[in-house]
């Protein structure tokens, strides 16, 4: 028996010194282009780490929140996961994420990260439970040909001009003003227009009560509902998610689309760059606009049995080479200061976002993702109740009161625990 064991050991040494390892990586903001890019970067990691295999699990974004929660409940916990900003607090506060601070302290590229990347990655307990890979800032796409056909001379600068232009476009057969996102991921639109009409992006009062049912916010929610009710958005847009609104824009169904740079991937492939533009979100009565800025990144699960190797995978994804490759295909604004010198980001297609960032009256808005309850609010409650309001089943005031009640409980719980 001893001779057999010795022979087996000798054979294993002769066939390779590296122990085979498998890491599981879950992506949740999924599209074919993103998955293909992810596989390309992961292949480089596997080549640099012989004997290591990365299993990629791709969850469709519209169902990702529930599907990932089910995986975790069943004990199917990955080593590395793509972490949306809205999920960070939920998983970090429940002890499920590993602190990346020790790794960042020794990483050669930490000093090259933007200050905003480190700030947002440390959103929970001032600890890097996630390393953002990019930023998603909303700006307004506009179809130049549709505006010309409708007799609109320039893209709208205010909400009133936006409604007027949308009405003119919607008079064209089969055309609409706005590609509304009434389904998964639609909360950003409600929040942007609500804050812009209110003239303030403050979500809570000092006592933790939500501002969501204040007069200004109710006006903003009503404004969104009226767009749909008055036929300025397609009827089926009540169910639209990311893919549907982007397709609605590049097919010429709608003249306006509020989206992040990631929408450029599909749009640039299907439209001539001279046929569309990107501009600052329209401003409200206060003269200000409040485009949402979001982010996503990579997190290490605390249950990982191979944390050092998991960090190597994150470092490959987040290093300057991998990060720029990833963001060029996903459309997010990169997290390394060195990327500013890349010709790709000096092209005209990004001018709208950089102009918006430089506009003092365009105030980037970070939603209250630090609340554990926010992920459910964004990915479940807000979709259901928002659709009810668009369809007239509940009033704007009822919508505002439901959101305010939920968010007040979450914020006061958060304040009590500080």
């Amino acid at each position: 028996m001893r001779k057999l064991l010795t022979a087996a050991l000798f054979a294993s040494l002769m066939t390779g010194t590296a122990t085979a390892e498998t890491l599981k990586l879950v992506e949740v903001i999924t599209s074919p282009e993103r998955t293909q890019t992810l596989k390309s970067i992961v292949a480089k990691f596997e080549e640099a780490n012989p004997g290591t295999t990365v299993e990629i699990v791709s969850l469709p974004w519209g169902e990702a929140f529930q599907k990932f929660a089910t995986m975790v409940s069943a004990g199917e916990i990955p080593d590395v996961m793509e972490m949306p900003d809205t999920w960070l607090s939920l998983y970090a506060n429940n002890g499920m994420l590993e602190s990346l601070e020790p790794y960042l302290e020794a990483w050669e590229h930490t000093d090259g990260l933007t200050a905003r990347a480190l700030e947002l990655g440390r959103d929970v307990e001032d600890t890097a439970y996630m390393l953002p890979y990019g930023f998603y800032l909303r700006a307004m796409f506009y179809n130049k040909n549709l505006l010309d056909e409708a007799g609109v001379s320039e893209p709208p600068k205010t909400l009133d001009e936006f409604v007027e232009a949308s009405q003119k476009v919607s008079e064209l057969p089969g055309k609409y003003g706005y590609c509304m996102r009434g389904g998964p991921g639609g909360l950003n639109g409600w929040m942007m227009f609500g804050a812009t009409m209110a003239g303030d992006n403050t979500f809570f009062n000092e006592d933790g009560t939500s501002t969501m049912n204040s007069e200004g916010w109710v006006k903003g929610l009503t404004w969104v509902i009226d767009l749909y009710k008055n036929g300025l958005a397609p009827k089926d847009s009540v169910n639209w998610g990311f893919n549907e609104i982007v397709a609605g824009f590049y097919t010429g169904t709608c003249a306006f689309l509020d989206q992040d740079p990631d929408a450029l991937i599909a749009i640039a492939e299907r439209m001539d760059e001279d046929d569309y533009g990107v501009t600052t979100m329209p401003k409200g009565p206060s003269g200000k606009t409040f485009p949402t800025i979001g982010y996503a990144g990579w997190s290490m699960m605390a249950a990982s049995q191979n944390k050092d190797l998991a960090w190597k995978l994150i470092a490959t994804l987040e290093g300057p080479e991998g990060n720029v490759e990833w963001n060029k295909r996903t459309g997010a604004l990169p997290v390394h200061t060195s990327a500013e010198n890349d010709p790709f980001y000096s092209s005209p297609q990004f001018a709208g976002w950089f102009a918006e960032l430089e506009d003092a009256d365009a105030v980037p808005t970070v939603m209250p993702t630090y609340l554990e309850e926010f992920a459910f609010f964004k990915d479940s409650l807000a979709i259901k109740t928002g659709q009810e309001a668009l369809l007239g089943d509940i009033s704007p005031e009822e919508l505002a009161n439901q959101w305010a009640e939920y968010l007040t409980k979450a914020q006061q719980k958060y304040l009590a625990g500080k």
Side-chain angles (χ1 to χ4, degrees), residues 336-352:
H336 290 275
T337 56
S338 59
E340 296 175 6
N341 301 319
D342 193 300
F344 180 83
Y345 293 102
S346 61
S347 61
Q349 62 188 7
F350 283 95

Side-chain angles (χ1 to χ4, degrees), residues 31 33-34 37 136 141 242 246 250 260-271 276 326-332 344 349:
S31 72
E33 295 90 347
R34 294 169 70 97
T37 304
Y136 296 96
F141 287 78
F242 176 83
V246 174
Y250 66 64
D260 314 310
D262 58 348
L264 278 172
I265 298 170
I267 292 171
E269 290 178 350
R270 295 167 174 85
M271 295 181 72
Y276 69 95
W326 173 255
N327 285 306
K328 282 182 178 180
R329 293 300 300 157
T330 65
F344 180 83
Q349 62 188 7

Side-chain angles (χ1 to χ4, degrees), residues 66-391:
Q66 290 83 0
K67 284 184 176 293
F68 186 72
T70 301
M71 285 178 59
V72 171
S73 297
E76 300 174 19
I77 301 175
D79 299 278
V80 175
M81 72 163 294
E82 183 179 17
M83 179 63 69
D85 53 358
T86 52
W87 299 12
L88 179 60
S89 177
L90 175 65
Y91 287 100
N93 283 321
N94 280 283
M96 300 197 68
L97 303 182
E98 186 75 11
S99 170
L100 301 180
E101 295 292 350
Y103 302 100
L104 289 172
E105 187 175 343
W107 195 36
E108 60 182 315
H109 297 299
T110 300
D111 290 342
L113 295 170
T114 64
R116 176 69 79 171
L118 290 170
E119 173 194 342
L120 295 176
R122 292 169 171 151
D123 191 50
V124 177
E125 298 178 356
D126 198 28
T127 300
Y129 289 114
M130 177 248 271
L131 186 54
Y133 58 64
F135 308 115
Y136 296 96
L137 176 67
R138 288 294 168 94
M140 185 67 72
F141 287 78
Y142 60 96
N143 184 312
K144 296 179 181 180
N145 296 330
L146 273 182
L147 294 189
D148 286 343
E149 189 177 351
V152 179
S153 60
E154 61 181 7
K157 295 181 174 62
T158 68
L159 291 181
D160 287 343
E161 292 177 359
F162 180 86
V163 171
E164 182 181 353
S166 295
Q167 289 172 335
K168 290 182 178 179
V169 173
S170 298
E171 290 173 2
L172 300 173
K175 305 298 181 183
Y176 300 88
Y178 180 46
C179 286
M180 178 175 287
R181 189 170 180 172
L187 182 62
N188 293 62
W190 293 101
M191 292 298 197
M192 284 190 297
F193 293 125
T196 299
M197 186 62 76
D200 190 351
N201 62 351
T202 303
F203 292 106
F204 300 102
N205 299 308
E206 288 187 10
D207 63 356
T209 54
S210 170
T211 60
M212 198 59 57
N213 56 356
S214 65
E215 181 180 358
W217 278 92
V218 171
K219 285 183 178 179
L221 300 181
T222 303
W223 185 90
V224 175
I225 294 167
D226 286 344
L227 284 178
Y228 182 78
K229 183 175 67 175
N230 295 330
L232 305 187
K235 186 175 182 180
D236 57 348
S237 65
V238 67
N239 294 311
W240 281 8
F242 176 83
N243 291 330
E244 291 81 7
I245 60 172
V246 174
F249 183 79
Y250 66 64
T251 58
T253 300
C254 321
F256 301 113
L257 166 72
D258 68 86
Q259 253 308 316
D260 314 310
D262 58 348
L264 278 172
I265 298 170
I267 292 171
E269 290 178 350
R270 295 167 174 85
M271 295 181 72
D272 190 289
E273 64 177 14
D274 294 331
D275 292 337
Y276 69 95
V278 180
T279 189
T280 301
M281 292 294 296
K283 295 172 181 175
S286 69
K288 294 183 179 297
T289 185
F290 298 90
T292 53
I293 185 169
Y295 57 100
W298 302 107
S299 289
M300 184 192 305
M301 302 300 289
S304 171
Q305 298 299 303
N306 203 335
K307 294 183 173 63
D308 288 343
L309 192 59
W311 165 252
K312 284 186 178 182
L313 175 57
I314 292 175
T316 301
L317 293 165
E318 289 276 8
E321 182 181 346
N323 183 245
V324 170
E325 179 183 350
W326 173 255
N327 285 306
K328 282 182 178 180
R329 293 300 300 157
T330 65
L333 301 173
V335 297
H336 290 275
T337 56
S338 59
E340 296 175 6
N341 301 319
D342 193 300
F344 180 83
Y345 293 102
S346 61
S347 61
Q349 62 188 7
F350 283 95
W353 283 282
F354 291 123
E356 188 172 71
L357 284 170
E358 294 171 3
D359 188 339
D361 292 322
V363 184
T365 297
V366 178
M367 289 193 281
T369 56
Y370 58 85
L371 298 173
E372 287 186 40
E373 295 83 358
F374 191 77
F376 174 78
F377 174 73
K378 175 181 180 291
D379 293 323
S380 183
L381 177 63
I383 298 173
K384 176 179 180 294
T385 53
Q387 289 175 332
E388 289 173 347
L390 291 172
L391 295 172

